[in-house]
């Protein structure tokens, strides 16, 4: 019996599978449908951030990393789903890859326009800026950015704007080149070895995707607000997505490539929710103005 267990453990380390776990049929069906639905919810949650960017005509303090991570991660897992013939993995990740491409291209489009709406009203008074922040809590970052430009604290020179947009384009191009390299693995190594490496790459990328909002952790702790992080629905969707996929990978697919990154992502999403519960979504001075003007 001990020899059999040792061989099973060795097999898990070699091909990324884990021992089958007897799960009720209803639970298998729930996870087979629930995990993809959570993935779709996660990718669609990014629409709230995209809407905010389009309303402000600015990316503000947001990083392009979460969007590029979504694109690269979902495209890689779509390929893994094809190689493994697992449509539960393929379908939601294909949608995620399409939306990731949309989010990334929109970010690049607005990366050179930090405050087009603010420039048209740069002569407005501080009182008018404070009043505009009461119109919608989601626009508070744009309002503070407008005030920064009026005071000269935010650079809006053509050179700096062009540099920001060029940098975003380079990051997008690098991501596409990496994606091409991943897609070529099955061609170079064959389907079986290619699937193994694609799964390992996908596990790494899934970890980066689920933890990518923490890239602004230092800024959140410094500014004492979560305005530089993606919207709260994104973090909630990340939590549900990581939990459901970890359960699916363990109970249904028996695949460590799915289980391990999602366990790490679950911890990262939990920490994101702690940040949202600890700090406000707008700068403290905006909250103060809200109380005064209310």
């Amino acid at each position: 019996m001990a020899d059999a267990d040792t061989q099973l453990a060795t097999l898990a380390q070699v091909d990324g599978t884990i021992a089958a776990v007897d799960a009720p049929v209803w639970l298998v069906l729930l996870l087979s449908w629930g995990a993809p639905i959570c993935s779709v919810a996660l990718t669609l949650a990014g629409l709230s951030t995209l809407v905010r960017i389009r309303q402000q005509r600015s990316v503000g303090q947001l990083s392009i990393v979460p969007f590029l991570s979504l694109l690269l991660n979902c495209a890689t897992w779509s390929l893994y789903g094809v190689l493994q013939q697992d449509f539960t993995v393929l379908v939601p990740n294909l949608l995620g890859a399409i939306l990731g491409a949309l989010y990334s291209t929109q970010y690049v489009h607005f990366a050179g326009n930090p405050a087009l709406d603010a420039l048209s009203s740069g002569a407005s008074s501080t009182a008018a800026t404070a009043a505009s922040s009461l119109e919608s809590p989601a626009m508070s970052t744009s309002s503070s950015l407008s005030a920064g430009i009026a005071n000269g604290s935010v650079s809006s020179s053509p050179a700096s704007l062009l540099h920001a947009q060029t940098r975003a384009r380079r990051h997008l191009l690098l991501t596409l080149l990496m994606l091409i390299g991943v897609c070529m693995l099955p061609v170079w190594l064959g389907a079986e070895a290619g699937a193994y490496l694609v799964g390992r790459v996908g596990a790494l990328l899934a970890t980066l995707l689920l933890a990518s909002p923490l890239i602004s952790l230092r800024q959140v702790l410094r500014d004492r607000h979560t305005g530089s992080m993606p919207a709260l629905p994104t973090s909630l969707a990340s939590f549900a997505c990581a939990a459901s996929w970890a359960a699916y990978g363990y109970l249904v697919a028996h695949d460590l490539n799915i289980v391990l990154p999602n366990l790490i992502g679950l911890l990262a999403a939990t920490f994101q929710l702690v940040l949202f519960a600890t700090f406000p979504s707008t700068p403290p001075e905006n909250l103060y103005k809200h109380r005064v003007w209310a």
Side-chain angles (χ1 to χ4, degrees), residues 259-293:
V259 175
L260 294 181
N262 282 287
L263 286 179
I264 297 175
L266 184 61
L267 295 177
T270 301
F271 188 65
Q272 293 169 37
L273 295 178
V274 170
L275 291 177
F276 277 106
T278 304
F279 301 108
S281 59
T282 56
E285 59 268 19
N286 284 3
L287 294 177
Y288 174 75
K289 291 176 182 178
H290 179 80
R291 294 192 185 98
V292 172
W293 284 86

Coordinates of all heavy atoms in Angstrom, one line a residue, residues 259-293:
V259 N -5.4 23.9 -9.2 CA -5.6 24.1 -7.7 C -4.7 25.1 -7.1 O -5.1 26.0 -6.5 CB -5.5 22.7 -7.0 CG1 -5.5 22.9 -5.5 CG2 -6.5 21.7 -7.5
L260 N -3.4 24.9 -7.4 CA -2.4 25.7 -6.6 C -2.5 27.2 -6.9 O -2.5 28.0 -6.0 CB -1.0 25.2 -7.0 CG -0.7 23.8 -6.5 CD1 0.8 23.4 -6.8 CD2 -0.9 23.7 -5.0
P261 N -2.6 27.7 -8.2 CA -2.6 29.1 -8.4 C -3.9 29.7 -7.8 O -3.9 30.9 -7.4 CB -2.5 29.3 -9.9 CG -3.0 28.0 -10.4 CD -2.5 26.9 -9.5
N262 N -5.0 29.0 -7.8 CA -6.2 29.5 -7.3 C -6.3 29.6 -5.8 O -6.9 30.5 -5.2 CB -7.4 28.7 -7.9 CG -7.7 29.1 -9.3 OD1 -8.3 30.1 -9.6 ND2 -7.4 28.2 -10.2
L263 N -5.5 28.7 -5.1 CA -5.4 28.8 -3.7 C -4.6 30.1 -3.3 O -5.0 30.8 -2.4 CB -4.7 27.6 -3.1 CG -5.5 26.3 -3.0 CD1 -4.7 25.2 -2.5 CD2 -6.8 26.5 -2.2
I264 N -3.5 30.4 -4.1 CA -2.8 31.6 -3.9 C -3.6 32.8 -4.2 O -3.6 33.8 -3.5 CB -1.5 31.6 -4.7 CG1 -0.6 30.4 -4.3 CG2 -0.8 32.9 -4.6 CD1 0.6 30.2 -5.2
G265 N -4.4 32.7 -5.3 CA -5.3 33.8 -5.7 C -6.4 34.1 -4.7 O -6.8 35.2 -4.5
L266 N -6.8 33.0 -4.0 CA -7.8 33.2 -3.0 C -7.3 34.0 -1.8 O -8.0 34.9 -1.2 CB -8.3 31.8 -2.5 CG -9.4 31.7 -1.4 CD1 -10.7 32.4 -2.0 CD2 -9.7 30.3 -1.0
L267 N -6.0 33.7 -1.4 CA -5.4 34.5 -0.4 C -5.2 36.0 -0.8 O -5.5 36.9 0.0 CB -4.0 33.9 0.0 CG -4.1 32.5 0.6 CD1 -2.6 32.0 0.9 CD2 -4.8 32.5 1.9
A268 N -4.8 36.2 -2.0 CA -4.6 37.5 -2.5 C -5.9 38.3 -2.6 O -6.0 39.5 -2.2 CB -4.0 37.5 -3.9
A269 N -7.0 37.6 -3.0 CA -8.3 38.3 -3.1 C -8.8 38.6 -1.7 O -9.4 39.7 -1.5 CB -9.3 37.4 -3.8
T270 N -8.6 37.7 -0.8 CA -9.0 38.0 0.6 C -8.3 39.3 1.2 O -8.9 40.1 1.8 CB -8.6 36.8 1.5 OG1 -9.3 35.7 1.0 CG2 -9.1 37.1 3.0
F271 N -7.0 39.4 0.8 CA -6.3 40.6 1.3 C -6.8 41.8 0.6 O -6.8 42.9 1.2 CB -4.8 40.4 1.0 CG -3.9 41.5 1.6 CD1 -3.8 41.6 2.9 CD2 -3.2 42.3 0.7 CE1 -3.0 42.6 3.5 CE2 -2.4 43.3 1.3 CZ -2.3 43.5 2.6
Q272 N -7.2 41.7 -0.7 CA -7.7 42.9 -1.4 C -9.0 43.4 -0.7 O -9.3 44.6 -0.5 CB -8.0 42.5 -2.8 CG -6.8 42.3 -3.6 CD -7.2 41.7 -5.0 OE1 -8.2 42.0 -5.6 NE2 -6.4 40.7 -5.5
L273 N -9.9 42.4 -0.3 CA -11.1 42.7 0.4 C -10.8 43.4 1.8 O -11.6 44.3 2.2 CB -12.0 41.5 0.6 CG -12.5 40.9 -0.7 CD1 -13.3 39.6 -0.4 CD2 -13.3 41.9 -1.5
V274 N -9.8 42.9 2.4 CA -9.4 43.6 3.7 C -9.0 45.0 3.5 O -9.4 45.9 4.3 CB -8.2 42.8 4.3 CG1 -7.7 43.6 5.5 CG2 -8.7 41.4 4.8
L275 N -8.3 45.3 2.4 CA -7.9 46.7 2.1 C -9.2 47.5 1.8 O -9.2 48.7 2.3 CB -7.0 46.7 0.8 CG -5.6 46.2 1.0 CD1 -4.9 46.2 -0.3 CD2 -4.8 46.9 2.1
F276 N -10.1 47.0 1.1 CA -11.4 47.8 0.8 C -12.1 48.0 2.1 O -12.8 49.0 2.3 CB -12.2 47.0 -0.2 CG -11.9 47.3 -1.6 CD1 -11.2 46.3 -2.4 CD2 -12.1 48.5 -2.2 CE1 -10.9 46.5 -3.7 CE2 -11.8 48.7 -3.5 CZ -11.1 47.7 -4.3
A277 N -12.1 47.0 3.0 CA -12.8 47.2 4.3 C -12.1 48.2 5.2 O -12.7 48.8 6.1 CB -13.0 45.8 5.0
T278 N -10.8 48.3 5.0 CA -10.0 49.2 5.9 C -9.9 50.6 5.4 O -10.0 51.6 6.3 CB -8.5 48.6 6.0 OG1 -8.6 47.3 6.5 CG2 -7.7 49.4 7.0
F279 N -9.8 50.8 4.1 CA -9.6 52.2 3.6 C -10.8 52.6 2.7 O -11.4 51.7 2.1 CB -8.3 52.2 2.8 CG -7.0 51.9 3.5 CD1 -6.4 50.7 3.3 CD2 -6.5 52.8 4.5 CE1 -5.3 50.4 4.0 CE2 -5.4 52.4 5.2 CZ -4.7 51.2 5.0
P280 N -11.1 53.9 2.7 CA -12.1 54.4 1.8 C -11.7 54.3 0.3 O -10.5 54.2 0.0 CB -12.3 55.8 2.2 CG -11.0 56.2 2.8 CD -10.4 55.0 3.4
S281 N -12.7 54.4 -0.6 CA -12.4 54.3 -2.0 C -12.0 55.7 -2.6 O -11.5 55.7 -3.7 CB -13.6 53.8 -2.7 OG -14.7 54.7 -2.5
T282 N -12.2 56.7 -1.8 CA -11.8 58.1 -2.3 C -10.8 58.7 -1.3 O -10.7 58.2 -0.1 CB -13.0 59.0 -2.3 OG1 -13.7 59.0 -1.1 CG2 -14.0 58.5 -3.4
P283 N -10.0 59.6 -1.7 CA -9.0 60.3 -0.8 C -9.7 60.9 0.4 O -10.9 61.3 0.3 CB -8.4 61.4 -1.7 CG -8.6 60.9 -3.1 CD -9.9 60.2 -3.1
P284 N -9.1 60.9 1.6 CA -9.7 61.4 2.8 C -10.2 62.9 2.6 O -11.2 63.2 3.2 CB -8.5 61.3 3.8 CG -7.7 60.2 3.3 CD -7.7 60.3 1.8
E285 N -9.4 63.7 1.8 CA -9.9 65.1 1.7 C -11.2 65.2 0.9 O -12.0 66.0 1.2 CB -8.8 65.9 1.0 CG -8.4 65.4 -0.4 CD -7.3 64.4 -0.4 OE1 -7.0 63.9 0.7 OE2 -6.6 64.2 -1.4
N286 N -11.4 64.2 0.0 CA -12.7 64.2 -0.7 C -13.9 63.8 0.2 O -14.9 64.4 0.1 CB -12.7 63.2 -1.9 CG -11.9 63.7 -3.0 OD1 -11.3 64.8 -3.0 ND2 -11.8 63.0 -4.1
L287 N -13.6 62.9 1.2 CA -14.6 62.6 2.1 C -14.9 63.7 3.0 O -16.1 64.0 3.4 CB -14.1 61.4 3.0 CG -13.9 60.0 2.3 CD1 -13.4 59.0 3.2 CD2 -15.2 59.6 1.6
Y288 N -13.9 64.5 3.4 CA -14.1 65.7 4.2 C -14.9 66.7 3.5 O -15.9 67.3 4.1 CB -12.7 66.3 4.6 CG -12.8 67.6 5.4 CD1 -13.2 67.6 6.7 CD2 -12.6 68.8 4.7 CE1 -13.3 68.8 7.4 CE2 -12.7 70.0 5.4 CZ -13.1 70.0 6.8 OH -13.2 71.2 7.4
K289 N -14.6 66.9 2.2 CA -15.4 67.9 1.4 C -16.8 67.4 1.3 O -17.8 68.2 1.3 CB -14.8 68.1 0.0 CG -13.4 68.7 0.1 CD -12.8 68.8 -1.3 CE -11.4 69.4 -1.3 NZ -10.8 69.4 -2.7
H290 N -17.0 66.1 1.2 CA -18.4 65.6 1.1 C -19.2 65.9 2.3 O -20.3 66.3 2.2 CB -18.3 64.1 0.8 CG -19.7 63.4 0.7 ND1 -20.4 63.5 -0.4 CD2 -20.4 62.8 1.6 CE1 -21.6 62.9 -0.2 NE2 -21.6 62.4 1.0
R291 N -18.5 65.8 3.5 CA -19.3 66.0 4.7 C -19.6 67.5 4.8 O -20.6 67.9 5.3 CB -18.4 65.6 5.9 CG -18.2 64.1 6.0 CD -17.6 63.7 7.3 NE -17.3 62.3 7.4 CZ -16.1 61.8 7.1 NH1 -15.1 62.6 6.9 NH2 -15.9 60.5 7.2
V292 N -18.6 68.4 4.4 CA -18.8 69.8 4.5 C -19.9 70.3 3.6 O -20.8 71.0 4.0 CB -17.5 70.6 4.2 CG1 -17.7 72.1 4.1 CG2 -16.4 70.3 5.3
W293 N -19.9 69.9 2.3 CA -20.8 70.3 1.4 C -22.2 69.7 1.6 O -23.2 70.2 1.1 CB -20.3 70.1 0.0 CG -19.3 71.0 -0.4 CD1 -18.0 71.0 -0.2 CD2 -19.5 72.3 -1.1 NE1 -17.3 72.1 -0.7 CE2 -18.2 72.9 -1.3 CE3 -20.6 72.9 -1.7 CZ2 -18.0 74.1 -1.9 CZ3 -20.4 74.1 -2.3 CH2 -19.2 74.7 -2.4

